[in-house]
Amino acid sequence: MTLKVCLAGATGWAGAALARAIAQADDLELVAGVSRQHAGERLGQVLGIPNLDALLYSSADEALETASDVFVEYTRPEIAKANVTAAIRRGANVVIGTSGLTDQDLEEIGNLALEHNVGVLAVGNFSLVTVVLTKCAQLAAKYLSQWEIVDYASSQKPDAPSGTTRELAYKLSQAGRPKFDVLIEQTQGPKETRGASINGMQIHSVRLPGYVISAEVLFGAFDEKLSLRYDAGSSPEPYVAGALLAIRRVGSFVGLKRGLDSVMES
């Protein structure tokens, strides 16, 4: 069976790499895309991919007029939820690669997915290396009681923390809550310097030139410490394999799942 895919953000940094990979896959067909800059053009012409005739539209609503099995959301935080909602109401399974959606956003999306009997897979980072980071951090949290998270990204990234870090915090919260020798509320001085609390984790977001995406979990114990860190390079290629896996697996369940690991074989 060939899965028909609608890709929002098809000409973007990560979306273009994914589009090229979909075009080469025997079991996937890219039938429509969203790109405001190239609306009305053929995606194959924009990306230089022969025999790719998918038309680009200026909005997800327009692109979803073309029947698709899977809608991939790879645009911007401010329009991601509306795009996902539109796709669910059309009966498409959804893969979310856009960062910036909150736990409440995802809960609402999950409830809507159940109503429409479709699957939604929200992935903070499609890199298989981040799956390893998360698994290692969850293991460490079983034995170490104190940790905090540092989130790094480009100075131009508007959302904080990144989707990578939000997912990491969510997964770590399932392992437990860190202990604080001095409660955040008891901080002497500006409490904001201690970071923000998300899912019970303290997160510190750094936004500077020279960074792409990095996430670091710092564990502390008596007279020793452990640092687990992920650093992304400048290429979108590390995310392609995970995104293809997500597209192929999102139709295997109903409702919301978070993280690529939730659909990977153990």
Side-chain angles (χ1 to χ4, degrees):
M1 175 183 174
T2 300
L3 292 175
K4 296 181 178 180
V5 181
C6 177
L7 176 56
T11 60
W13 179 72
L18 179 57
R20 291 187 173 93
I22 293 173
Q24 295 175 1
D26 294 334
D27 59 336
L28 304 175
E29 180 186 1
L30 193 50
V31 296
V34 180
S35 173
R36 291 190 303 170
Q37 182 180 358
H38 297 283
E41 300 179 56
R42 298 287 175 181
L43 181 56
Q45 294 176 333
V46 175
L47 299 183
I49 304 175
N51 302 320
L52 180 56
D53 294 326
L55 189 63
L56 292 168
Y57 299 87
S58 62
S59 71
D61 282 328
E62 293 175 302
L64 286 163
E65 291 289 340
T66 302
S68 57
D69 301 303
V70 180
F71 176 83
V72 180
E73 166 52 39
Y74 240 154
T75 61
R76 306 186 310 280
E78 63 270 23
I79 62 173
K81 187 177 180 181
N83 288 352
V84 171
T85 298
I88 293 172
R89 294 189 186 281
R90 294 271 186 171
N93 298 303
V94 179
V95 172
I96 304 175
T98 304
S99 62
L101 294 175
T102 65
D103 287 345
Q104 182 177 345
D105 290 332
L106 292 174
E107 182 179 355
E108 293 172 3
I109 287 170
N111 290 335
L112 188 63
L114 289 173
E115 290 178 20
H116 290 267
N117 200 40
V118 299
V120 176
L121 180 58
V123 180
N125 191 315
F126 289 106
S127 164
L128 299 179
V129 176
T130 63
V131 174
V132 176
L133 167 69
T134 300
K135 292 297 185 182
C136 290
Q138 287 177 307
L139 176 62
K142 291 182 179 181
Y143 300 99
L144 303 174
S145 62
Q146 294 178 271
W147 66 86
E148 300 192 15
I149 302 173
V150 185
D151 162 55
Y152 306 85
S154 161
S155 60
Q156 298 181 356
K157 186 171 179 60
D159 58 300
S162 67
T164 303
T165 302
R166 282 185 182 273
E167 185 172 298
L168 180 58
Y170 171 74
K171 295 290 185 178
L172 273 173
S173 72
Q174 296 177 322
R177 298 294 178 96
K179 170 189 171 185
F180 295 98
D181 290 333
V182 177
L183 297 177
I184 304 301
E185 296 75 18
Q186 297 174 345
T187 301
Q188 296 181 11
K191 295 178 177 59
E192 293 81 3
T193 62
R194 293 289 289 111
S197 180
I198 298 180
N199 297 117
M201 314 292 118
Q202 286 305 117
I203 299 178
H204 310 266
S205 288
V206 177
R207 294 292 179 269
L208 288 171
Y211 288 89
V212 180
I213 289 290
S214 299
E216 185 174 23
V217 191
L218 302 173
F219 293 88
F222 177 73
D223 204 28
E224 56 187 349
K225 56 190 175 182
L226 172 67
S227 172
L228 299 174
R229 175 165 173 154
Y230 165 77
D231 289 289
S234 59
S235 165
E237 295 305 320
Y239 314 116
V240 171
L244 293 175
L245 175 65
I247 291 170
R248 291 176 172 128
R249 298 282 176 84
V250 70
S252 64
F253 62 91
V254 172
L256 172 74
K257 287 190 176 185
R258 295 179 63 169
L260 190 62
D261 62 305
S262 67
V263 294
M264 293 176 69
E265 295 179 356
S266 59

